[in-house]
Amino acid sequence: MELNHTAFGQHSMEIRTETVCDRIKTPTSPEDWRKIANEFYQRWNYPCCVGAVDGKHIAIKQPDDSGSEYFNYKHFFSVILLDVVDANYKFIYVDVGAPGRAGDAGVFNESTINRALLDNSINLPPPVPLEGIAESNISYHLVGDDAFSLQMTMMKPYPHRNLDKKKRIFNYHLSRVRRVVENLFGILGNRFRVFLTPINLNPDKVTNLILAACCLHNYMVDKNKHTYLNVLDVETGESHEIAVGVWRYDKQLIGIQPAQGRNATNDAKRQRELLTSYFSSEYGAVPWQEKLLGLE
């Protein structure tokens, strides 16, 4: 399926933002990617993460003469916002406007950011070893949920069936770092209430509206990083249990459809296994993880 959508970022692929919104920039150098990864590690104890990725359906009124093109798997009309977020709740890449029926991870698989990750035209740093884990060589990567395919450049959780202790711990660490992108969608909906009800504009205008909101969000974060803190999920006390942000009481944007039909490579599975071992080791564990998960 050919997708009619617009990607915004700034790297060696054909991504156009400089003249439209200079607030959304995808890093182009190993040093910039390392900076993002270091911020994720400092805040969320997760190594080699260069962004959290997610996609949401933005509800719209059915466009004229569109048939089922914008009708998604949740049975409403939408366009898709796919984005990558850094540790500071800022967009570093957005892909907007794919019709709702394209609501699986094919939007990501066909995106310029995915192609750039796979051929490393955006200059990720070389793989690095994990402290205390023998023969580990971990690629810098994004983190996503079940909607995405496991790759060397994309880590996702284990399926939630019959998980052993180490896999549950890995899933906890992944979900903890992914909370950044979940909260960013919450911030966006809390700030721009238009996203909480179907938008009565044609898809091109909806795309422009979404892009404007993403740019304004990054602008506000740059001007005052603390303006959004009152709506976020927060970890409380020594137990690090989650106190949910106020945005979760709003009607939620709907996530994209889980991926199907793409098998993970052995290298990608091995990388997830190495990270799993790391988070259960003295080097990668956080003190509260077993108690929080009821594993003590």
Side-chain angles (χ1 to χ4, degrees):
M1 179 190 307
E2 183 176 350
L3 303 179
N4 180 21
H5 51 129
T6 303
F8 280 77
Q10 183 183 354
H11 55 63
S12 58
M13 303 293 291
E14 307 89 342
I15 295 180
R16 308 169 295 281
T17 74
E18 296 85 345
T19 59
V20 181
C21 176
D22 61 3
R23 294 286 172 178
I24 302 173
K25 294 183 179 180
T26 307
T28 57
S29 70
E31 292 75 19
D32 289 340
W33 288 116
R34 285 192 190 95
K35 181 179 178 182
I36 291 176
N38 287 337
E39 289 174 340
F40 272 111
Y41 182 75
Q42 293 298 322
R43 291 178 178 226
W44 309 110
N45 311 102
Y46 189 106
C48 298
C49 175
V50 294
V53 61
D54 203 354
K56 296 294 182 186
H57 288 274
I58 308 296
I60 63 173
K61 297 290 186 180
Q62 181 180 9
D64 294 338
D65 303 317
S66 63
S68 62
E69 182 178 10
Y70 290 89
F71 197 64
N72 64 44
Y73 78 109
K74 286 290 187 178
H75 307 296
F76 64 91
F77 296 92
S78 65
V79 298
I80 295 172
L81 166 59
L82 176 80
D83 67 299
V84 181
V85 178
D86 70 12
N88 295 310
Y89 300 94
K90 286 182 61 176
F91 296 103
I92 59 174
Y93 174 88
V94 295
D95 186 311
V96 185
R101 73 171 183 175
D104 60 17
V107 177
F108 176 78
N109 293 337
E110 297 300 320
S111 68
T112 50
I113 189 74
N114 186 46
R115 296 198 297 271
L117 286 166
L118 293 175
D119 65 20
N120 202 24
S121 59
I122 50 176
N123 299 313
L124 290 178
V128 294
L130 293 172
E131 185 178 10
I133 305 300
E135 300 181 5
S136 60
N137 213 26
I138 303 300
S139 296
Y140 285 83
H141 57 271
L142 302 178
V143 296
D145 63 12
D146 286 333
F148 301 94
S149 299
L150 184 68
Q151 305 172 17
M152 293 295 288
T153 53
M154 173 74 74
M155 289 290 104
K156 60 180 286 184
Y158 290 100
H160 296 271
R161 299 186 302 270
N162 302 319
L163 295 182
D164 62 25
K165 176 178 178 179
K166 287 186 177 182
K167 290 179 179 179
R168 287 182 63 189
I169 289 173
F170 171 84
N171 279 5
Y172 165 70
H173 281 267
L174 191 83
S175 67
R176 190 167 180 251
V177 73
R178 274 200 69 260
R179 201 177 302 131
V180 174
V181 70
E182 292 178 357
N183 275 272
L184 188 140
F185 280 122
I187 296 167
L188 205 67
N190 188 268
R191 279 178 165 166
F192 306 106
R193 311 294 287 181
V194 65
F195 295 126
L196 302 182
T197 57
I199 302 172
N200 192 15
L201 295 171
N202 69 54
D204 288 341
K205 289 183 178 179
V206 173
T207 295
N208 290 335
L209 186 154
I210 296 168
L211 291 171
C214 294
C215 293
L216 285 170
H217 167 81
N218 276 12
Y219 172 80
M220 287 187 279
V221 173
D222 287 337
K223 291 299 181 181
N224 187 345
K225 292 184 178 181
H226 303 292
T227 58
Y228 53 83
L229 295 180
N230 63 318
V231 303
L232 298 180
D233 297 338
V234 294
E235 295 183 354
T236 59
E238 294 182 0
S239 67
H240 287 257
E241 294 183 359
I242 301 301
V244 299
V246 297
W247 66 268
R248 292 192 183 272
Y249 298 102
D250 290 324
K251 181 180 178 181
Q252 297 306 296
L253 304 177
I254 303 298
I256 60 178
Q257 191 174 6
Q260 296 179 354
R262 175 170 291 199
N263 293 324
T265 66
N266 289 333
D267 286 343
K269 292 177 180 178
R270 176 60 177 161
Q271 177 164 287
R272 185 165 65 177
E273 290 168 358
L274 290 168
L275 285 163
T276 300
S277 296
Y278 173 74
F279 291 129
S280 290
S281 74
E282 62 179 300
Y283 301 97
V286 290
W288 60 86
Q289 62 189 31
E290 293 190 12
K291 183 176 182 180
L292 185 65
L293 295 172
L295 297 172
E296 288 187 337

